[in-house]
């Protein structure tokens, strides 16, 4: 089996008795890695990775009323004892997160190298390779399935349900968890140890109801953990976070991140929130110095009261931009832009591109629009047409006010030709 991403070679191998394909585990050889946004395009107006288009929210420290220069900031980072290993526990970061999310203490907080480390750790500590499984609800974040294959665990899929017609807000129904179907899957396969729920979903943009999450937590035949991925929670209406369930349920784990609302995707800080026993197991298993000193330094500043206020202001601005973007997309309906799919609880919008002059979603036209925007118009969005319930869909990150004007103008210009 060839190694994915590496072209075949006819060059002789030394020593002749060695064959790397016999050394690598079969599930890894068969792995198709997660395809991130930058694998396709890295220049232009980048509205494809759900980053915070308004930038980070770290409030700059001031000395004598003056904001330090970038050079001074770099010098401050270089003075962080970089020759020493980082603090393995980061109590100040955990304390600020616990306070922000309404948790009683730091022993409810775990820090990882992005949420992806948390996903991988949960599988490694909970799911026995080749014997046990996870359950996911497509369309959903692709790393759950990728990590499952890396860890050699099975995947059970119960697709989300898309129900309802376009309402006054222009959205086409909403995605919801088919709780009864998930329960039936659990009854049929008791080896399921983790249920991954993305809320708000990626790419659905839809917050999962707490009642649905409670129904799974309370389901006695399920002996595992419900993992709720809340990467986009700050863009949703208050009151929908599963963190409110942590004090009541030992079998829930909530994942969050500084990548989205805080605008700090580059520092790679992911968070797990749960009752202390699970947090301790994750801490016992992680690499000893997984969160770097520069990352921790920036996280502490990002979680200061001043920076949190800045983050909340930027979230408010992006929420307003989201409403304007949806209205602008609705105005493109005569050119074949359908009603936004799902509910808009994140910092992106998903819309189907329809057949020219028709009403059915069109994957070919949608992909052509995606390619033309990126390669000829300098606007990069994400094609999601191969996801369940997302036929013909593009996912558009909410940009700045100016960026949204450009993307609408370029879409209009391109759709007129397709």
């Amino acid at each position: 089996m060839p190694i994915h991403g590496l072209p075949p070679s006819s060059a002789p191998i030394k020593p002749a008795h060695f064959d790397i394909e016999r050394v690598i585990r079969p599930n890894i050889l068969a792995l198709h890695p997660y395809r991130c946004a930058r694998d396709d395009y890295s220049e232009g107006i980048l509205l494809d990775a759900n980053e915070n288009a308004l930038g980070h929210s770290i409030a700059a420290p001031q000395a004598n009323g003056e904001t330090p220069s970038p050079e001074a900031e770099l010098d401050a980072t270089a003075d962080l004892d970089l020759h020493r290993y980082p603090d393995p526990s980061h109590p100040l970061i955990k304390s600020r997160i616990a306070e922000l999310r309404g948790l009683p203490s730091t022993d409810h907080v775990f820090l990882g190298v992005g949420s992806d480390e948390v996903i991988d750790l949960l599988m490694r500590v909970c799911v026995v390779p080749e014997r046990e499984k996870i359950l996911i609800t497509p369309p959903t974040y692709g790393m759950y399935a990728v990590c499952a294959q890396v860890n050699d665990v099975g995947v059970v899929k119960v697709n989300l349900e898309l129900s309802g017609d376009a309402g006054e807000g222009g959205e086409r129904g909403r995605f919801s968890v088919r709780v009864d179907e998930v329960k039936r899957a659990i009854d049929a396969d008791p080896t399921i140890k983790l249920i991954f729920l993305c809320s708000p979903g990626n790419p659905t943009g839809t917050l999962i109801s707490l009642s649905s999450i409670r129904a799974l937590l309370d389901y006695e035949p399920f002996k595992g953990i419900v993992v709720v991925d809340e990467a986009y929670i700050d863009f949703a209406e208050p009151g929908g976070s599963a963190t409110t369930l942590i004090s009541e349920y030992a079998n829930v784990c909530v994942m969050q991140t500084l990548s989205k609302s805080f605008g700090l995707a580059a520092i790679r800080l992911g968070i797990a929130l749960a009752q202390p026993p699970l947090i301790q197991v994750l801490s016992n298993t992680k690499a000893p110095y997984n969160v770097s000193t520069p990352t921790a330094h920036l996280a502490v500043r990002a979680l200061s009261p001043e920076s949190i206020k800045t983050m909340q202001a930027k979230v408010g601005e992006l929420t307003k931009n989201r409403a304007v973007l949806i209205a602008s997309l609705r105005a493109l309906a005569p050119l074949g832009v359908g009603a936004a799919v799902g509910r808009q609880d994140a910092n992106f919008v998903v819309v189907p591109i329809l057949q020219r002059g028709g009403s059915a979603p069109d994957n070919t036209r949608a992909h052509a629009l995606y390619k033309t925007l990126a390669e000829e118009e300098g606007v990069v969005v994400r094609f999601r047409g191969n996801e369940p319930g997302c036929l013909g869909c593009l996912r558009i990150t909410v940009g700045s006010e100016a960026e949204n004007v450009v993307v609408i103008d370029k879409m209009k210009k391109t759709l007129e030709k397709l």
Side-chain angles (χ1 to χ4, degrees), residues 67 135 286 334 350:
T67 300
L135 185 147
K286 74 174 182 67
V350 177

Side-chain angles (χ1 to χ4, degrees), residues 158-230:
V158 177
N159 289 358
L160 296 174
E161 181 178 29
L162 178 60
S163 59
D165 299 320
E168 293 181 2
E171 302 90 356
R172 181 161 64 88
R174 65 169 296 149
F175 284 94
S176 58
V177 176
R178 298 155 68 200
V179 173
D180 289 341
E181 290 297 319
V182 173
K183 288 179 178 179
R184 277 192 278 273
I186 291 166
D187 293 340
D189 193 342
T191 70
I192 295 171
K193 295 290 289 293
L194 297 173
I195 297 172
F196 283 92
L197 303 176
C198 198
S199 178
N202 176 15
T204 70
T206 300
L207 193 69
I208 294 174
S209 69
L210 293 182
S211 61
S212 294
I213 298 171
R214 279 183 178 275
L216 297 175
L217 294 170
D218 285 327
Y219 192 54
E220 192 273 338
F222 179 56
K223 309 302 182 184
I225 295 170
V226 177
V227 184
V228 186
D229 187 345
E230 293 188 343

Side-chain angles (χ1 to χ4, degrees), residues 60-332:
Q62 295 188 344
N64 301 321
E66 296 182 359
T67 300
S69 66
E71 291 76 13
E73 288 279 12
L74 181 60
D75 289 342
T77 302
D79 289 338
L80 291 173
D81 288 336
L82 298 181
H83 63 299
R84 302 293 185 192
Y85 287 112
D87 181 344
S89 57
H90 303 289
L92 181 55
I93 299 174
K94 292 178 181 179
S95 176
R96 290 185 174 181
I97 290 171
E99 181 180 2
L100 176 65
R101 301 311 186 189
L103 297 170
S105 60
T106 58
D107 57 4
H108 290 70
V109 182
F110 172 83
L111 304 178
V113 182
S115 297
D116 294 337
E117 183 184 19
V118 178
I119 295 168
D120 181 69
L121 270 179
L122 285 167
M123 291 192 199
R124 285 199 280 144
V125 303
C126 296
V127 192
V128 178
E130 297 185 311
R131 286 171 44 193
E132 296 180 328
K133 301 181 180 71
I134 67 166
L135 185 147
I136 63 175
T137 57
T140 193
Y141 181 42
M143 275 303 293
Y144 310 142
V146 170
C147 280
Q149 185 162 349
V150 168
N151 286 285
D152 211 3
V153 303
V155 179
V156 175
K157 300 178 181 180
V158 177
N159 289 358
L160 296 174
E161 181 178 29
L162 178 60
S163 59
D165 299 320
E168 293 181 2
E171 302 90 356
R172 181 161 64 88
R174 65 169 296 149
F175 284 94
S176 58
V177 176
R178 298 155 68 200
V179 173
D180 289 341
E181 290 297 319
V182 173
K183 288 179 178 179
R184 277 192 278 273
I186 291 166
D187 293 340
D189 193 342
T191 70
I192 295 171
K193 295 290 289 293
L194 297 173
I195 297 172
F196 283 92
L197 303 176
C198 198
S199 178
N202 176 15
T204 70
T206 300
L207 193 69
I208 294 174
S209 69
L210 293 182
S211 61
S212 294
I213 298 171
R214 279 183 178 275
L216 297 175
L217 294 170
D218 285 327
Y219 192 54
E220 192 273 338
F222 179 56
K223 309 302 182 184
I225 295 170
V226 177
V227 184
V228 186
D229 187 345
E230 293 188 343
Y232 304 96
I233 193 64
D234 291 317
F235 297 100
E237 289 294 323
S241 173
T243 54
T244 58
L245 304 175
I246 290 174
S247 62
E248 186 178 352
Y249 291 95
N251 58 338
V252 67
C253 178
V254 179
M255 297 193 306
Q256 296 185 354
T257 180
L258 296 192
S259 294
K260 307 301 181 180
S261 59
F262 284 86
L264 289 170
I267 75 169
R268 309 307 301 130
L269 189 74
I271 302 159
L273 307 171
Q275 290 191 11
L278 178 59
I279 296 300
Q280 189 61 55
V281 169
L282 294 174
S283 299
N284 293 347
T285 311
K286 74 174 182 67
Y289 308 109
N290 61 330
V291 177
S292 74
T293 295
T295 289
H297 172 70
L298 292 170
V300 167
R301 288 179 53 188
L303 291 162
S304 70
E306 297 80 10
S307 294
I308 290 173
K309 288 179 182 177
T310 302
M311 177 273 285
Q312 292 168 339
K314 288 188 175 183
V315 166
E317 182 177 348
L318 287 171
T319 301
K320 292 179 182 177
N321 290 355
R322 181 178 68 195
V324 173
L325 178 61
I326 292 170
S328 299
L329 288 166
R330 196 181 307 138
L332 298 181

Side-chain angles (χ1 to χ4, degrees), residues 371-403:
K371 294 277 287 183
T372 303
L373 286 175
E375 296 174 6
E376 299 179 19
E377 301 296 342
V379 173
V380 185
V381 298
R382 201 85 189 265
F383 175 72
R384 299 280 81 175
N386 295 326
E387 301 287 331
C390 298
L391 183 67
C393 283
L394 301 182
R395 191 189 69 196
I396 306 170
T397 304
V398 177
S400 66
E401 184 176 352
E403 287 173 333

